[in-house]
Amino acid sequence: MAESLTIQTDDGSFQALVFRPDTPGPAPVVVVVQEIFGVNAGIRLIAAEYAVQGFIAVCPDLFWRVEPGLSMSENSEENWKKALDIYTAYDFDQGAADVLKTVEAARGIEGGNGKVGLTGYCLGGLMTFLGAARGAPDAAVAYYGGGTERYVGEADGVKPPLLMHLAGEDEFIGPDARAAIVEALAGRPNVEVHVYPGRNHAFARPGGNHYDKADAETANGRTLAFFKEKLG
């Protein structure tokens, strides 16, 4: 069963769900950042799988200022509209600051080993890139972060190891946007970018409309190996 961790900010506090491994001993932490649908069943499933793999997973509630505890389904037209309305009005800089507050809190979490990885999907993918550019997670993995092309000018700020997964036919990250991201990160020794030809947005999330088992397993296998190496 997930626990709840309170994260304090300058303008209030919010909750993050915490999933713990069954194995004893200090464990690295992975902060898992939501899509536009909140900390929903899909994100909780991903976090639970990290716990199975021996990590403490922490899922911050990024929409706490609008509606705390929001959990929506991409299979609902009403939920899609609500999610897009929230996303359109969302303050990305404020969100990135919330993520970094979560990383900071995760460093001192009970049972942690002090190492913190950061990962996220869609909106969370962008927050992961911004977190790596503006803060100091020990490692970061971004899955198809929509809007990342608007922030590639911050690429020089990315100091921790960063792994990025991009979909070759992403309907939300077009060819020009994808090329801008790849070009900005090319040649950086601490950054690894993988593009998955023929895949659509959300190809790596279980239950997604465009989920592709083979490429999801490839991407997730790379992520797991990356975090195990970087977080110890």
Side-chain angles (χ1 to χ4, degrees), residues 48-59:
E49 180 58 30
Y50 273 110
V52 169
Q53 296 296 334
F55 299 89
I56 299 171
V58 177
C59 303

Side-chain angles (χ1 to χ4, degrees), residues 115-161:
K115 294 287 187 71
V116 180
L118 177 61
T119 189
Y121 301 75
C122 182
L123 167 63
L126 171 59
M127 293 297 102
T128 296
F129 174 79
L130 292 178
R134 299 178 183 181
D138 294 292
V141 180
Y143 285 79
Y144 36 79
T148 301
E149 71 280 0
R150 300 195 301 269
Y151 294 91
V152 292
E154 299 190 37
D156 285 345
V158 177
K159 304 305 181 187

Side-chain angles (χ1 to χ4, degrees), residues 43-163:
I43 291 299
R44 294 195 300 271
L45 181 64
I46 289 167
E49 180 58 30
Y50 273 110
V52 169
Q53 296 296 334
F55 299 89
I56 299 171
V58 177
C59 303
D61 179 8
L62 293 194
F63 289 164
W64 65 278
R65 293 181 180 86
V66 179
E67 186 177 332
L70 197 58
S71 174
M72 296 183 286
S73 169
E74 73 165 48
N75 297 315
S76 162
E77 185 176 342
E78 180 181 352
N79 282 179
W80 260 102
K81 182 181 184 307
K82 183 174 183 176
L84 289 172
D85 286 346
I86 294 173
Y87 176 77
T88 300
Y90 191 65
D91 186 325
F92 299 109
D93 293 323
Q94 197 173 52
D98 285 347
V99 167
L100 290 175
K101 285 287 187 182
T102 307
V103 170
E104 180 182 335
R107 287 209 184 278
I109 197 169
E110 182 181 355
N113 70 355
K115 294 287 187 71
V116 180
L118 177 61
T119 189
Y121 301 75
C122 182
L123 167 63
L126 171 59
M127 293 297 102
T128 296
F129 174 79
L130 292 178
R134 299 178 183 181
D138 294 292
V141 180
Y143 285 79
Y144 36 79
T148 301
E149 71 280 0
R150 300 195 301 269
Y151 294 91
V152 292
E154 299 190 37
D156 285 345
V158 177
K159 304 305 181 187
L162 170 65
L163 175 61

